[in-house]
Structure formats: C-alpha cells, structure tokens
Amino acid sequence: MTTVEKPHYKVLGTRPIRHDGLDKVLGRAVYGADIKLAGLSIGAVLRSPHAHARIQSIDASAALALPGVYAVVTGADMPIADDELIDMTEEIVNARFASMRIIAHEKALFKGQPVAAVAAVDLNTAQEACRRIKVDYEPLPAVFTVEEAMAADAPIIHEHLVGTHVGEKVPHTNVAEHTQHVLGDPDAAMAKAEVTVEGEFRLARVHQGYIEPQNATAMWYRDGKATVWTSTQGSFPARNAISSVLRMPVSAIKVVPLEIGGGFGGKINIYLEPLAVLLSKKAGRPVKVVMDRRSVFEATGPGPGGVVRMKLGADKAGNLVAGTVDIRFAAGAFPGSSISAASTCVFASYRFPTARIDAYDVVTNLTKTAAYRAPGSPQATFATESLMDELAHKLGVDPVALRLQNASKEGDRRPDGIVFPRIGNVEVLEAVRDSDHYRTPLDRAGAAPGHKRGRGVATGYWQGVGNKSTVTLAVNNDGTVALIEGNTDIGGTRASIAMQAAEVLGIPALDVHPTVVDTDSVGYTDLTAGSRTTYATGAAAVKAAEQVVAELKRRAAIMWEVEATDVDFAGGVFTNKKAKDTKLTFKQVCARLDRTGGHVATTGVVNLRGSGGGSFATHVVDVDVDTETGKVEVIRYTAAQDAGTAVHPSYVEGQMAGGAVQGIGWALNEEYYLGPDGSVQNASFLDYRMPTMLDTPNIETLIVEVPNTMHPFGVRGIGESGIVPPQPAIANAMRAALGIRFPELPIKPGRILEALDAQGA
C-alpha cells in the first residue's frame, strides 16, 4: 500500500465484518423475488418479436377471458409522459423515451420491447394469457450499427427526434447528439508532430453480469398512492422516474429498496416498476413481475458498443503534442449512450497541449444501453491506451515510463475544460513501475510449445460524482448509534459509511448499526452509482456525526456544570478542560442522556456538486497465447488504484479485483452476439461467456492513497476505475506476445487465429 500523508485513524483502514454479512450468508436477506404480500398476483410481459415494427392493433380479449387473469395493460394505459429530463446521476433520461422503453406506444423499436403485460393468479396463467394476446405488426426496416444508422438512406427510428449537432438542431436524424471539445489547434500541432499513431477501434455491447434479474412488486392503494418494492441502485431516482412516466406526484409513490443481487449500473433505470403499478391499479391487488434471463439480455441496458477513431501526435522525446478522437456509440432505441463520460475520460490520463474530442450518440433498433461501471470510459480508453502502447513501440521506450512522462497532475486542464484537483495518477503509475510484477522479467521461455507470452500495461480514469445524500444518526443510551441511509448496499457501503461515522464518534465500527430505508423514511439520496456512495453519503455521515459530538459536548458540559466550549473530544473520550483528569467516554455520556435533555438524533445533508475527485488505476497483465487454438490464458495480473483513503481495505481490494475480472471477460470473451434480425443469440449465462475462477489468476492489488481534498477523510470513489485498464492492457499484452494489434473487442480465439493466418504464422 502506497500512502501519501495519511493521518492515523482508529476505524478507517481496519477490516471489520460487514454489518449485513450474516443475513446474506444465512439466506435471510430479502431480494426482489423474495417479497410476499397478501393477495399477491404474478405478472408477465409480452414482448415484440420485431426489431422495428408499427403496431396496428392489440386484441387482449382472449387473454382477459382466461380464468385467473386479473388485468392486462398495453401502451394505451400508459400516460403520455412529458419531454422532461430525469436526472439518474449517471444518465439524464427523457421521460417520454423512458415511457416508450417501458412499453411500446405506436411502434416497437427493438426486439424484446414490451407491448403488453398481464397480472394473473400464477406465472403459468400469466404467460398463457400473454400468448393469447393478438398483436398486428407492420414490420419496418431496422438498423443495428452506428454505420447503418448514420447512413444517408437509413430508416429514421424516431420521426420526431431533433438531434443536436454541436449546439445546432438537426431534424430527421438518428444522431441524437454530436458534442465537441476543442483545446488549442490540434490540427496544426498534429501536422508538426514528429511521431504519430492512429487507429480505428471497435467495441461490442456487453452485459454487466449481475446474477439477479430485474424485478418489481407494486401495490396501488385506493387513495391514489402506490408502494413499489424493487431491486434498484437508487430508490429516489427510481421514484422520480416512476413519477414522471406515470404522471404521479412523487409524494404519492413510496419506493422500498430491497437487497440487490448485483447492478454495476444495470439497475439504475426502471423497467418493470410502472407496469407493476398499472397492473396493480387495474387488478386491485399487489402484483410482482420478475424478468426471465432472455428478457434481461434483450430488453435491459448493456454497456454501449461502437467505433472510436483516434490519432495521437508526439515529439521525438515522447511528449504528447496533440490528440484527436471521434467517438460513436450506439445508444440503442433511445438516446443516451454515455458519450459525455467517454469525452471526459478519453484523454484524462495525460497532458495534451492541444486536443479535439467529437462524440456521437446514435440511436439504433436495439435495446437502450445503460451504465456499466465507468460508463463510456472503458470503450474510449481502449483506443487511447492501445495507441499509447503503439507510441511506446515506435519510440522504443518503456510503456510505463512514457505514461509517467505525460501523466496528468494537479492543475492540469482536461480537454473538456476541467482543471484537475489533487490526483494520484503519477503515484499509481509509480506503484506499478516499482511492483514485484513489473520488475520481474516475463518468463517467455516457460511457455509450452506453440504458445507465446506477452506483458501489457494500461491506465484509466473515472471522474466520480458527488451529488445529494442524507444520513440520520440516532444515539442510543447504551452508546450504540443507529444510522439511517438511502443508498442501497452493493459493495459493502453499509460498512464504509458506518465506519466514517464511527471514526468521528470514536467508537467501534460495529457499534454503528446501518439501515437502508425507503423513500418516505430518509431525506433525498442519489444513486448507489458513479463511485459516489462512500464519498458523498460518507460525507453526510461525517456531518451528522460531527453534530452528535457537538450535542454530546453540551450534555457533558451539563454534567460538569461548565460551558460546552470547556469540553474537548478525541478518540471517543470527552475531557473537561477545566479539570483535565475529569473524563467521560462516549458510552458514559450516552448512558446519562435522559438526565441531560433526552435523546439525540441528527441529520447530515450534503450536495457535493461536480466530480468526486476522480480515481486513476493502472494494471499490468501477463498472457499466454496458444497459437494453435487461439486460447488466451491470463497468467499474472496486478491492479493498482488510488483510493484516496481506503476506508475498508478489503472492500477496496474486492472492487479492484472485481473490475479487473469483468474487464478480462470484456477483453477476451464477452459480447452481445446478434442475429440478422437484431435478436441476441447468446441470451443466457451458458452462452454469454463470463470469466469464472478457472479463467483468472489471483488478482494482485496495490492500494495507493493520495487523499482527496474534497472529502473530510480524503476518500475517493473507487468502484469504477478498475474496469477501465483491463481491455487495453490485455490487447497490449497480445501485441507483445504476437506482434499483432487487435483493434476489436473481444479478442476471441477466432479473431486471433484469423490474425495469425493473415500474418502467415
């Protein structure tokens, strides 16, 4: 662990057991599919078999005549949502498009789009009712790639969509948005560059890999209010989205977040919640809907694929002088493909005196994409880090040394205009350079006959976000503290937030009891996403804990008959400054609360605008390639990342290793494999090939701690940067092993064998 000016902490940096661990290990935790209510009915969804088709008519009479069917809803039952924007933290969603994604209105725009939903006595009855619904479709031409969608003669998916081209409105287009960032004169600088590298890089759509499918249970009440139980990464943003889509006031909707079986960005958007509410309203009873796995693949949001074209220029000494990039992401059937984040991250790791970033958000006839861990950054950075590796080869220099030479630092300006605060980019690169892995020569001679080995390195960035969080603390007279928060726990955030409160209060982490509650029980809190939870909600917990300390100082002063300013507090102990041998522990003061004014409860509210300080990660990987079969084995892997201050090092290491493993899958195997009609051909975990423990080595982790100046304890969000470097690091290792640059992901055996054949190997 590399540390920069880290103070001594009592709780932070320790590894207590997680507060929710026992319930999850014993199977007592309640997930979305576990919810049971009196009179519960089961829902099913009828989905479009066409990627693009006009809906001429829907006849549900045969379904409604089936015994045990309580209700059927179609697009006609969905209120027409306004063109208002919903802030989902990692994505800005248009309410009208969100409504159309949830259930088709006049057209089906992707295969698997809901066209009707049924509530019935059981799942079999609901599914049979769906089969009896008659839909008359008029099939229309469809487009599935950015090239097809941007062609001059392309069928227009949304006739009324008006795109934005660098600020100007453009009607009748499939390009929802074209943004541009320009720093200096990159064309002039590129013309003077002594060394240039360029390439076109292609990326497939990839699934987040969460095990639990999307789900929703809803109860509509006669007073016009509704309660929704769901597995979501953000109960308040989900409430806002349901409100906008159904045109209900937020005060009429209560969202109860259940435990979540993985998300990685894929459970930010709403899919089933409004359908469950509408079905419950019609049926007069609660309705639960759970997706099957094929529907998860076909109708929820994967990370976007697309094309990235890039050129880098440098002088003979290896100093970058210019960078230009053209990013084109396929958003799916509705706008919003994380091009903004891609633009933020693509050149963030380096100092560019001049640069130009063009980014295109393109609609296609596939399911709308969603956030996937550092959304947009892995795709864009794959190009950057591949070309930085090519630049190192051209210059004949060490790839880490070249990155260190050009690494962005505090005070440097990103091409999108933001000036970096204190960051740990250089320290992370130095940690890899000095690691045992990087200093140990690769054992090429140990490769089996027909196998070749290579080593690759890559770095990556995620800016993180802050936004709004609320935490309430209630002090018990036994010296424990109840912590109420609104962030669903995906990666151990109950522990990381409780630990920050405990650090302020000077008590053990397990004396703080965290509970995640519904939207009626705590103040507004943004998503568990964007690497914001430990950072922002932790800051709210610190604020609430500081208020507790201030109040308990006043209580101790009452007992000692002094002023509150005469009381010191440190390490869980109150001291009378007028009689320094007079002390009371935190528990002792709490035991006398009833005698000094009653119970103590405080609330911390924060709105941390802009970036969360950002986190850099650098990975080094060794691969072994079987040139006869194209099989790639990852034989050693080291991940370094700046955590600011590692609140719970075990969870930090887990996030780093998890990001590396997901990135390995993305690099080598994972992709949405589409048929000519836009159908997903590998819509199951048997066919969508994610890494298992047999496919990955032990991930060695190096935690770097460069404190974040925007957080009271120096915390940085670390959940996302770790998925950015693996893909280019593996591509660079393949380049070192075979002498071949692979510009398309995944680098699967077929592509490797084709490249070897083309090389004449």
Side-chain angles (χ1 to χ4, degrees), residues 171-343:
H172 203 69
T173 179
N174 289 326
V175 180
E177 187 175 12
H178 169 205
T179 63
Q180 187 178 73
H181 300 286
V182 180
L183 177 64
D185 187 344
D187 293 328
M190 194 74 75
K192 295 178 181 178
E194 296 169 296
V195 184
T196 61
V197 289
E198 60 186 309
E200 178 180 284
F201 301 86
R202 294 184 168 271
L203 307 112
R205 291 155 65 93
V206 285
H207 189 258
Q208 294 87 349
Y210 45 82
I211 297 173
E212 178 199 33
Q214 274 78 1
N215 57 81
T217 300
M219 180 65 202
W220 178 276
Y221 299 98
R222 292 183 180 180
D223 62 358
K225 294 183 178 181
T227 298
V228 178
W229 295 262
T230 184
S231 298
T232 175
Q233 290 183 235
S235 51
F236 285 92
R239 182 189 68 174
N240 292 350
I242 297 167
S243 165
S244 295
V245 166
L246 295 182
R247 305 196 73 171
M248 296 171 62
V250 292
S251 59
I253 302 165
K254 178 168 74 173
V255 174
V256 183
L258 301 171
E259 297 297 341
I260 183 168
F264 310 109
K267 289 182 182 164
I268 293 173
N269 290 319
I270 57 171
Y271 296 98
L272 299 173
E273 291 86 348
L275 295 180
V277 171
L278 291 175
L279 286 169
S280 178
K281 182 179 181 180
K282 273 195 169 185
R285 58 180 65 219
V287 177
K288 176 165 67 176
V289 193
V290 180
M291 280 195 189
D292 59 82
R293 188 64 64 186
R294 172 165 285 280
S295 297
V296 171
F297 275 93
E298 286 194 337
T300 67
V307 181
V308 179
R309 300 182 181 96
M310 183 180 291
K311 185 174 183 179
L312 303 181
D315 61 24
K316 286 182 180 178
N319 300 303
L320 291 168
V321 298
T324 60
V325 63
D326 180 290
I327 303 167
R328 303 185 181 201
F329 286 170
F334 306 100
S337 63
S338 63
I339 59 167
S340 175
S343 300

